[in-house]
Amino acid sequence: MNGTIRRTPASLRELTPARVALATIGHSIATDEVLVFQLAHAKARDAVHATLNATHISRQLSVELARVGVESIPVIEMRSNAPDRTTYLRRPDLGRTLHPDSVAKLTSGSFDLAIVVADGLSPLAVEHHAIPLITSLLPLLKTDKWSIAPITVVLQGRVAIGDPIGAALRARCSLVLIGERPGLSSPDSLGAYLTWAPQPGRTDAQRNCLSNIRSGGLVAEVAAARLHWLLRAARAKQLSGVALKEGPLEFEVPPRIAPKL
């Protein structure tokens, strides 16, 4: 019996990508399960240390923007103050600020939204999901007449990099699309962070987050619809963060006028 592989019903494994109901041999995990775990761990490590080809992403994004009819939005390549990947991983603070050369590329304007694409902890997530999400979201915003700032693609960026970018562009709202910390079942998960009135010093409590954007999680079209709702609510209420919750579209209902006495 000790050499027999024991497996639990397959239906349990079909409910989640998590490592549940692993096959065993005796009192040990089956060898194939161990090898699959080691492969997933290697993919997660590789995702963290990967390098985003910002030029390729920028060019591909420009092509896709033209395809969906918003080719007038420029794409700008930028970098944080983290000079390389090793420093970026050891010094999160440097990933939250812009390099002076990148600051000089930004021109102040008056925009409703600044979209920032940052490699984060998984450049692979940006390569796979950032462009499909943007091209699904922008047509929705176009119908609401949102003015969109130049889209920035930032190397070695953290979530808070959207604050100085949004402030420099004078955008009323910023949306940071960033590679999330890889998991053992999702090395390419993208996160979206929305901040109303972005400026340096904003806290995580002042942002709304939509995570697990990937083919095995929240697909681009569904994520775009949810972000569209959040952005409309943020603009209507002029706030973001813990005070802004998903729910009924109450901001579309005209305010009740009190009767005259």
Side-chain angles (χ1 to χ4, degrees), residues 17 24 67 110 118 175 219 222-223 229:
T24 60
R67 183 182 63 82
S110 179
L175 179 64
V219 297
V222 176
W229 189 98

Side-chain angles (χ1 to χ4, degrees), residues 61 64-65 67-70 73 112-117 129-149 151 173-178 190-195 208 210 213 218-235 246:
L61 180 55
E64 290 301 307
L65 290 177
R67 183 182 63 82
V68 297
V70 287
I73 303 174
D112 290 318
L113 180 66
I115 298 177
V116 180
V117 179
H129 310 301
I131 293 177
L133 178 57
I134 292 172
T135 52
S136 296
L137 176 62
L138 285 181
L140 300 177
L141 297 177
K142 186 177 180 181
T143 61
D144 292 339
K145 301 187 183 330
W146 283 66
S147 57
I148 309 297
I151 297 175
C173 188
S174 68
L175 179 64
V176 178
L177 308 180
I178 189 168
L190 189 74
Y193 291 81
L194 181 156
T195 308
N208 290 86
L210 199 61
I213 302 171
L218 198 63
V219 297
E221 293 79 6
V222 176
R226 291 180 62 179
L227 285 173
H228 183 218
W229 189 98
L230 284 168
L231 287 165
R232 293 171 68 195
R235 183 166 69 169
E246 288 188 77

Side-chain angles (χ1 to χ4, degrees), residues 79-99 155-158:
R79 60 190 174 114
S80 74
N81 278 313
D84 51 54
R85 196 67 180 168
T86 300
T87 306
Y88 169 80
L89 295 174
R90 293 177 177 175
R91 292 283 307 276
D93 57 311
L94 295 180
R96 301 183 184 112
T97 58
L98 277 176
H99 190 277
L155 289 176
Q156 318 300 0
R158 300 277 178 173

Side-chain angles (χ1 to χ4, degrees), residues 6 19 23 34 40 50 52 69-71 80 86 90 127-128 132 134 211 214 231 239 244 257:
R6 296 196 300 271
R19 282 175 169 74
V34 175
L52 179 68
V70 287
E71 63 275 6
S80 74
T86 300
R90 293 177 177 175
E127 293 177 0
H128 289 177
I134 292 172
S211 62
R214 59 188 181 94
L231 287 165
L239 55 80
L244 181 63
I257 301 175

